[in-house]
Amino acid sequence: MNPFSSGTRLRDMIRAIRACKTAAEERAVVRKECAAIRSAISENDQDYRHRNIAKLMFIHMLGYPTHFGQMECLKLIAASGFPEKRIGYLGLMLLLDERQEVLMLVTNSLKQDLNLSNQYIVGLALCALGNICSAEMARDLAPEVERSLLTRDPNIKKKAALCSIRIIRKVPDLAENFLSPAASLLKEKHHGVLIAGVQLCTDLCKVSADASNYLRKNCTEGLVRLLRDVSNSPYAPEYDIAGITDPFLHIRLLRLMRMLGQGDSDTSEYINDILAQVASKTESNKNAGNAILYECVETIMGIEATSGLRVLAINILGRFLSNRDNNIRYVALNMLMKAVAVDSQAVQRHRTTILECVKDSDASIRKRALELVFLLVNDTNVKPLTKELIDYLEVSDQDFKGDLTAKICLIVEKFSQEKKWYIDQMFKVLSLGGNFVKDDVWHALIVAISNAPDLQGYSVRSLYKAFQTSSEQVCLVRVTVWCIGEYGEMLVNNVGVLEVEEPMTVTESDAVDVLEACLTRYSSDIATRSMSLIALLKLSSRFPPTSERIKDIITVHKGSVALELQQRAIEFNSIIQRHQNIKSSLVERMPVLDESAYIGKRTSSSQANIVADKSSQPSSTATTLKFPNGVAKPPAAPLVDLLDLSADDTPVPSSTSNDFLHDLLGIGLTNSPSSGTAPSGGTDILMDLLSIGTPVQNDTAPKVVSSNQGFAPTTKPAPTTSQVMDLLDGLPSNGSLPGSQTPVYPSITAFESSTLRIMFSFTKQPEKPHVTEIHVTFVNLSSDAYTDFVFQAAVPKFVQLHLDPASSNQLAASGNGTITQTLTVTNSQHGQKALAMRVRMVYKVNNQDKSEQGQINNFPPGL
Amino acid sequence: QIHFVILISRQGKVRLTKWYSPYQQKERSTVIRELSGLILTRGPKLCNFVEWKGFKVVYRRHDSIILVILNLYASLYFCICIDPDDNELEILEIIHHFVEILDRYFGSVCELDLIFNFHKAYYILDEILIAGELQESSKKTVARLIAAQVNVTERCVSLAF
């Protein structure tokens, strides 16, 4: 041994590296060593090859690249001595992984080594093969491994068995070759061989159903006997752990029995007794015993067990739950989640303990317990459970609040039977965890409030109170702002007070204070402030005395840096100042949001399993439907979809279930892709109505609300964010049209009231089946003449409407004259959905404004 | 199935890694880094299981006092990554099994033993696990096999490291 070659001894290198104080120092030492090793490799130094590989392994563990040593491993393996091979194989296993090409070169060496007579060398080869072989190597060397399975030496047998596991995992087709050797392993006495053999059988069952059947038929009896023997065996010092003989063998046997008993009632019956014995006999004061019990419970749950056995299993889990040891409780919670599917009743009995676990100090346990509680909620226990969870929400850790809030909201939504309870719980959750509540949850809350007119006063008052104490919760603030805006007068006038409420006086000024606070506090984000602005606008209409003050507040934001706020501030200011006459109609109470449609849309988009609230009624035609003047705006005129129906027809690119609510609630900031279109529906209406020339989408001629002429149809590029919405309520979306179309369509009386009749007649071009021309005739049925007659129409999203100018706008009395107008409708869902239309007529009679409106559902099919 | 075994010191230094599933070199360092961060920051009273990327990782802290001149107190974390449906409690026993065998071999094993004799630690691990599965439940047998192989080694041309 030349002392000057190959440098330091391993020990010295390790010492040198550990002595380094900085990373840079360490890198220097490593670099020097690697250089020495590299030169030794290139000189083909035999003497220190083993030492160099050992060094490389150490360096590898430190995280440095060591691939240049891979070939050296091969050379060591190819050497003839045991020590060289040993370090060579170790190096191989550490420095390479199965994906590397170099591995293939080892196959030959492995083959030779597997055929040697030295059991330790064979052992080395089997070990290496078992740890890192690739699929090709597995195929090549399977025969050798099979042969090793049959030797006498238990050391080799057990290694060969485990190696076979790897082989069949990599190449499942080879499974049948190992089947009978594996079964015969089960007859051995040596524990190591048994453990390996049982594991091999388990894996065989996993990859091959035939193997399963074979083993089930031939080995079940033997397995039961084995388990019984080891369970009953007296003290055996070699295998004893905590008073139990070879718990590992117990566990593997139980696992194999599970595989065999799954889905097979005969086998399950056969192993019933031994399972009961193990379950009742095993002591559970040490981890080893608990590990066995755990596996036993898993097996019982996995096979077709008798109910008695199942109850036994769940009781074991119940005992686990009260164990001091965190690990045991965690494991029990895990298992109980699976058990709920099998026997929910039995698990319910442990509900209190599980609830306690939700409050545990260990985060993993808390999470598991919460999920389990969620699975256990049903109609009877939902109220007390929710109360417990909400009480805990108050004191829980910040990082847990998110999970907890989400789960509580899910529970409350899913199981609430009365609106008031639902609203109460949601308010509490918002106060305690409002920052974690997701958007669709509080949107749903608003939909619910909107659908519960008797609870609106209560809601707005509760929110007002909550706001005083918990105003840092973002979602609470948003919901409060919206409600105050909508139901402000209920708040101030104490409308609809419920018995449980304490008396409270809130002045108009107080209400405005709240909104102003939201608007001005620094922690409010843009969405909240936008909502506040709209709410203020609404209040300025509902509480006229505050209008001046509100105007001042809004004016401040005209110079806001945020575009959305600036835009709104300017517009609203303008409305307050100059357009008082239409202000009140602009901010009328919102129509009731269609709950079932919202839920349906939300379910389909979020795939949440929410049952539609039975207590709500789908909204009927709202009393105050706003008709923006959007008639002759061809394609995607942003008509407000207040009730959002025929929801899914034209794919609205950015449509999530939040979209339409965003518009309604006056937010709608983020969802529009940048096509420069108006972000929010709130402003859209205003745009149309007031034709304020803001940087919105249209460059059409400004439209005035009640113009006297028909409209020059203008074409606009459809904004891709179409908040294209339509006014039509609950159109049956299953318009099944007859397949064949008749070219002639009968005229219909589209609308008839005591004062007006409208007739529609239809023509279609044969080559354009989805386009229909409608000739409209208006007849005045009253005895007074109408002037300034304007016709407006709105159609569903999937229909495009084009209006030609009317023949005149004077309608003589008593049918002495008519107005005619032509509409062109294009039904993009022609053949699938029927046409529908809502119409509104505005005219003057004796210098008084009148309007009529109606819905036309009687279009002939096939349009 | 066990996917890998990692031993790390309190300071995050790796003392032993054994991979039973295909992880490339780069992946391995990422895994080690992530798991170290996850496990070393856990409090002492918490349970020994963490969920990580869809797997379960069972870890156990092994404390030992090294009576060196500086009176260091070091502790080592044994981490094993398993499939979600494996028996965690059994893995805890396997860790204990491994530690006991190391103890017997080195005589009250401490971290330094594992540092300077890492190859021996690997040899021992290879007698306990193959292909991510348990190989031998008898500590005596493992000890015997290791001793026999040491004998064979020494009988050959003496190879000093």
Side-chain angles (χ1 to χ4, degrees):
Chain A
M1 278 192 271
N2 186 344
F4 296 108
S5 67
S6 273
T8 52
R9 301 178 58 194
L10 175 65
R11 194 159 267 270
D12 297 331
M13 181 192 85
I14 295 179
R15 247 187 233 120
I17 289 179
R18 281 171 61 78
C20 293
K21 303 266 187 334
T22 67
E25 259 186 75
E26 184 184 285
R27 275 200 297 275
V29 175
V30 169
R31 217 174 315 143
K32 208 173 95 191
E33 289 290 342
C34 285
I37 295 175
R38 265 191 239 247
S39 55
I41 290 177
S42 57
E43 286 166 25
N44 216 355
D45 178 345
Q46 295 231 23
D47 299 332
Y48 292 107
R49 200 172 272 147
H50 60 287
R51 179 196 285 179
N52 292 336
I53 289 298
K55 286 186 188 173
L56 271 181
M57 284 196 279
F58 188 83
I59 292 174
H60 176 87
M61 274 204 290
L62 292 173
Y64 296 94
T66 50
H67 39 273
F68 54 89
Q70 288 170 1
M71 288 307 290
E72 288 294 283
C73 295
L74 269 60
K75 291 189 194 151
L76 277 171
I77 292 174
S80 54
F82 172 75
E84 287 92 341
K85 283 187 192 280
R86 201 181 195 201
I87 195 80
Y89 276 121
L90 189 60
L92 187 78
M93 287 191 278
L94 191 57
L95 302 178
L96 276 78
D97 62 75
E98 72 176 65
R99 296 199 208 149
Q100 291 177 351
E101 308 300 320
V102 186
L103 212 47
M104 295 300 295
L105 302 172
V106 189
T107 313
N108 221 16
S109 300
L110 278 169
K111 203 183 209 125
Q112 284 179 352
D113 285 343
L114 283 171
N115 285 319
L116 289 180
S117 54
N118 182 333
Q119 62 150 314
Y120 299 111
I121 295 185
V122 177
L124 287 177
L126 285 170
C127 176
L129 195 59
N131 283 339
I132 60 167
C133 83
S134 61
E136 294 85 32
M137 290 168 74
R139 259 185 238 274
D140 285 341
L141 298 169
E144 267 74 20
V145 177
E146 271 175 70
R147 213 170 328 114
S148 308
L149 266 178
L150 304 170
T151 62
R152 301 268 230 97
D153 186 348
N155 180 28
I156 298 201
K157 258 182 137 89
K158 70 187 186 193
K159 290 185 160 72
L162 294 179
C163 189
S164 317
I165 293 181
R166 174 114 185 163
I167 290 179
I168 61 176
R169 277 184 193 156
K170 288 286 165 196
V171 188
D173 300 334
L174 293 172
E176 39 195 23
N177 303 4
F178 292 95
L179 201 43
S180 64
S184 49
L185 283 177
L186 295 177
K187 304 200 180 75
E188 297 280 329
K189 294 272 179 269
H190 187 275
H191 278 226
V193 177
L194 277 175
I195 287 180
V198 171
Q199 190 60 48
L200 177 58
C201 292
T202 312
D203 269 76
L204 279 168
C205 289
K206 281 193 207 157
V207 301
S208 154
D210 288 336
S212 243
N213 293 334
Y214 177 87
L215 291 168
R216 196 177 290 136
K217 240 179 16 188
N218 297 322
C219 305
T220 313
E221 207 185 312
L223 287 173
V224 172
R225 209 175 329 118
L226 271 171
L227 186 54
R228 202 171 24 232
D229 288 345
V230 75
S231 178
N232 292 336
S233 89
Y235 177 67
E238 190 173 338
Y239 296 105
D240 186 272
I241 294 183
I244 304 177
T245 309
D246 207 339
F248 300 113
L249 185 57
H250 274 86
I251 291 175
R252 272 137 226 282
L253 284 169
L254 285 166
R255 199 174 293 159
L256 181 54
M257 284 183 187
R258 177 157 84 246
M259 303 284 320
L260 295 180
Q262 229 161 28
D264 185 295
S265 39
D266 289 333
T267 316
S268 303
E269 209 188 304
Y270 190 77
I271 58 180
N272 206 53
D273 290 341
I274 186 66
L275 289 177
Q277 181 189 322
V278 172
S280 10
K281 196 179 146 232
T282 313
E283 303 218 342
S284 68
N285 46 2
K286 285 284 169 66
N287 188 56
N290 286 326
I292 295 179
L293 283 172
Y294 180 34
E295 194 72 36
C296 197
V297 167
E298 283 237 40
T299 301
I300 294 176
M301 288 294 153
I303 61 171
E304 321 294 316
T306 61
S307 63
L309 204 51
R310 287 229 176 95
V311 170
L312 182 57
I314 295 194
N315 285 345
I316 293 179
L317 291 179
R319 269 195 344 252
F320 274 10
L321 270 185
S322 344
N323 195 309
R324 302 262 227 80
D325 189 341
N326 278 353
N327 296 333
I328 309 286
R329 278 186 292 155
Y330 178 86
V331 148
L333 287 169
N334 244 346
M335 265 260 70
L336 281 170
M337 294 218 306
K338 294 189 218 167
V340 166
V342 170
D343 187 347
S344 173
Q345 274 303 91
V347 183
Q348 288 279 1
R349 261 176 253 136
H350 301 281
R351 205 174 58 236
T352 346
T353 330
I354 298 173
L355 210 46
E356 282 309 305
C357 290
V358 176
K359 308 178 190 163
D360 199 283
S361 45
D362 182 338
S364 322
I365 291 188
R366 277 204 299 262
K367 236 168 82 115
R368 284 261 158 261
L370 184 58
E371 284 181 37
L372 185 51
V373 165
F374 182 65
L375 289 175
L376 288 178
V377 176
N378 58 33
D379 290 327
T380 40
N381 60 25
V382 65
K383 288 208 179 154
L385 267 180
T386 315
K387 180 171 179 322
E388 285 266 4
L389 289 175
I390 291 185
D391 286 342
Y392 181 55
L393 182 58
E394 218 170 332
V395 297
S396 70
D397 284 344
Q398 281 299 103
D399 34 1
F400 193 49
K401 273 202 174 147
D403 279 340
L404 196 48
T405 316
K407 282 285 187 309
I408 297 179
C409 291
L410 272 175
I411 293 177
V412 168
E413 274 179 45
K414 193 164 164 193
F415 288 98
S416 62
Q417 285 140 357
E418 320 155 347
K419 270 257 155 76
K420 179 167 181 305
W421 184 80
Y422 167 62
I423 290 180
D424 275 336
Q425 305 309 310
M426 288 307 300
F427 287 169
K428 282 198 207 131
V429 172
L430 283 177
S431 311
L432 294 169
N435 287 329
F436 302 98
V437 173
K438 296 225 172 33
D439 282 347
D440 55 345
V441 171
W442 63 270
H443 288 177
L445 175 60
I446 289 189
V447 172
I449 295 180
S450 147
N451 273 298
D454 43 329
L455 292 173
Q456 283 160 359
Y458 170 71
S459 302
V460 68
R461 281 186 293 272
S462 311
L463 286 170
Y464 178 84
K465 268 191 271 200
F467 179 81
Q468 311 298 327
T469 50
S470 317
S471 57
E472 71 284 359
Q473 304 288 349
V474 172
C475 295
L476 176 67
V477 171
R478 290 186 189 171
V479 176
T480 309
V481 160
W482 190 86
C483 285
I484 292 185
E486 277 294 300
Y487 309 121
E489 75 281 8
M490 291 194 190
L491 173 65
V492 170
N493 302 328
N494 276 326
V495 171
V497 179
L498 303 179
E499 301 158 348
V500 295
E501 291 189 57
E502 294 163 7
M504 180 173 78
T505 22
V506 181
T507 64
E508 296 176 349
S509 171
D510 291 334
V512 177
D513 283 343
V514 167
L515 294 179
E516 183 176 11
C518 294
L519 194 50
T520 50
R521 76 147 43 108
Y522 70 94
S523 55
S524 294
D525 60 352
I526 304 260
T528 315
R529 293 192 197 186
S530 313
M531 290 178 74
S532 309
L533 280 172
I534 282 220
L536 279 171
L537 179 67
K538 293 180 192 171
L539 283 192
S540 90
S541 158
R542 305 206 206 293
F543 304 155
T546 58
S547 191
E548 264 312 299
R549 177 179 166 203
I550 290 182
K551 182 163 80 84
D552 292 336
I553 299 176
I554 294 184
T555 307
V556 171
H557 290 268
K558 280 166 79 165
S560 162
V561 177
L563 178 61
E564 179 67 22
L565 298 179
Q566 186 190 107
Q567 190 171 323
R568 291 188 189 208
I570 294 177
E571 295 158 8
F572 298 169
N573 203 16
S574 180
I575 297 175
I576 296 179
Q577 273 187 312
R578 286 185 259 139
H579 299 274
Q580 280 97 354
N581 52 333
I582 51 166
K583 186 172 69 170
S584 54
S585 56
L586 273 183
V587 294
E588 273 170 350
R589 171 94 76 247
M590 279 220 181
V592 178
L593 306 166
D594 187 339
E595 205 156 12
S596 44
Y598 173 68
I599 290 176
K601 199 170 179 206
R602 186 174 166 203
T603 310
S604 58
S605 70
S606 66
Q607 289 159 352
N609 199 7
I610 303 177
V611 174
D613 211 353
K614 301 183 203 86
S615 53
S616 71
Q617 273 101 39
S619 54
S620 46
T621 37
T623 44
T624 57
L625 211 48
K626 289 185 269 186
F627 276 94
N629 181 17
V631 180
K633 277 209 288 225
L639 303 177
V640 177
D641 178 51
L642 298 169
L643 302 171
D644 189 51
L645 335 138
S646 41
D648 13 58
D649 309 324
T650 25
V652 178
S654 61
S655 90
T656 59
S657 60
N658 294 333
D659 264 3
F660 86 101
L661 270 185
H662 268 162
D663 313 322
L664 289 168
L665 304 175
I667 338 169
L669 286 177
T670 46
N671 288 344
S672 23
S674 48
S675 52
T677 49
S680 74
T683 42
D684 275 346
I685 312 173
L686 299 179
M687 289 310 88
D688 308 334
L689 291 168
L690 308 174
S691 45
I692 298 175
T694 48
V696 184
Q697 71 281 34
N698 32 29
D699 29 27
T700 52
K703 289 166 288 301
V704 183
V705 173
S706 44
S707 67
N708 290 339
Q709 307 89 355
F711 302 97
T714 48
T715 38
K716 267 190 345 219
T720 45
T721 56
S722 58
Q723 271 111 15
V724 172
M725 314 198 237
D726 46 281
L727 301 165
L728 302 173
D729 180 355
L731 286 177
S733 51
N734 55 353
S736 45
L737 303 174
S740 60
Q741 297 143 359
T742 49
V744 175
Y745 299 93
S747 308
I748 57 168
T749 304
F751 175 87
E752 182 149 14
S753 72
S754 56
T755 50
L756 188 63
R757 182 193 299 134
I758 305 180
M759 312 279 297
F760 279 17
S761 70
F762 307 97
T763 50
K764 250 193 206 297
Q765 317 281 1
E767 65 274 11
K768 287 198 236 165
H770 49 279
V771 181
T772 312
E773 267 189 12
I774 305 180
H775 306 280
V776 189
T777 315
F778 303 97
V779 180
N780 179 349
L781 301 176
S782 77
S783 50
D784 299 313
Y786 300 155
T787 57
D788 301 319
F789 188 90
V790 172
F791 169 67
Q792 300 167 338
V795 287
K797 263 191 263 207
F798 54 87
V799 177
Q800 292 169 359
L801 177 62
H802 180 103
L803 226 63
D804 289 339
S807 58
S808 92
N809 61 350
Q810 320 267 10
L811 199 50
S814 313
N816 284 332
T818 60
I819 297 181
T820 54
Q821 196 165 5
T822 306
L823 282 63
T824 314
V825 285
T826 310
N827 182 355
S828 65
Q829 299 256 355
H830 173 76
Q832 295 161 31
K833 298 208 179 186
L835 275 187
M837 192 184 285
R838 215 176 242 174
V839 295
R840 183 179 178 177
M841 286 60 64
V842 177
Y843 52 87
K844 277 204 174 93
V845 177
N846 300 330
N847 272 321
Q848 276 185 333
D849 288 333
K850 271 203 76 180
S851 79
E852 295 183 51
Q853 59 208 38
Q855 181 160 328
I856 305 175
N857 288 329
N858 54 340
F859 284 96
L863 284 183
Chain B
Q1 189 214 342
I2 295 179
H3 293 287
F4 53 81
V5 178
I6 300 181
L7 266 67
I8 37 178
S9 74
R10 190 96 186 77
Q11 292 77 34
K13 289 246 193 280
V14 175
R15 297 303 173 208
L16 186 149
T17 62
K18 189 83 185 182
W19 307 83
Y20 297 105
S21 287
Y23 283 87
Q24 286 188 346
Q25 301 298 339
K26 239 189 263 168
E27 287 175 297
R28 294 182 185 189
S29 13
T30 320
V31 165
I32 293 174
R33 209 181 21 247
E34 280 180 23
L35 275 181
S36 312
L38 200 53
I39 291 177
L40 294 174
T41 49
R42 275 172 76 82
K45 297 265 181 61
L46 303 182
C47 70
N48 297 70
F49 316 125
V50 286
E51 277 151 56
W52 173 77
K53 295 209 174 153
F55 296 111
K56 283 198 273 214
V57 178
V58 181
Y59 70 96
R60 182 113 154 216
R61 188 171 142 159
H62 173 74
D63 292 333
S64 64
I65 303 176
I66 307 176
L67 290 174
V68 178
I69 305 165
L70 300 172
N71 212 12
L72 276 169
Y73 176 84
S75 50
L76 210 55
Y77 286 80
F78 288 69
C79 312
I80 296 189
C81 172
I82 51 175
D83 286 325
D85 50 356
D86 285 340
N87 184 336
E88 304 99 309
L89 299 179
E90 192 201 13
I91 300 294
L92 279 176
E93 286 302 319
I94 291 182
I95 294 179
H96 191 66
H97 188 55
F98 183 32
V99 172
E100 286 220 322
I101 296 179
L102 284 173
D103 244 3
R104 282 192 203 188
Y105 182 80
F106 287 106
S108 233
V109 66
C110 65
E111 196 181 342
L112 275 179
D113 291 322
L114 297 177
I115 295 171
F116 282 97
N117 294 299
F118 62 92
H119 50 293
K120 295 190 185 161
Y122 275 106
Y123 293 149
I124 292 175
L125 185 58
D126 281 339
E127 292 297 331
I128 300 178
L129 296 174
I130 287 185
E133 300 291 349
L134 185 66
Q135 189 191 150
E136 181 56 67
S137 53
S138 157
K139 302 191 229 298
K140 202 165 106 182
T141 309
V142 174
R144 200 169 22 89
L145 284 168
I146 296 283
Q149 292 180 76
V150 169
N151 263 340
V152 175
T153 310
E154 282 171 1
R155 270 189 276 123
C156 295
V157 176
S158 91
L159 282 181
F161 281 133

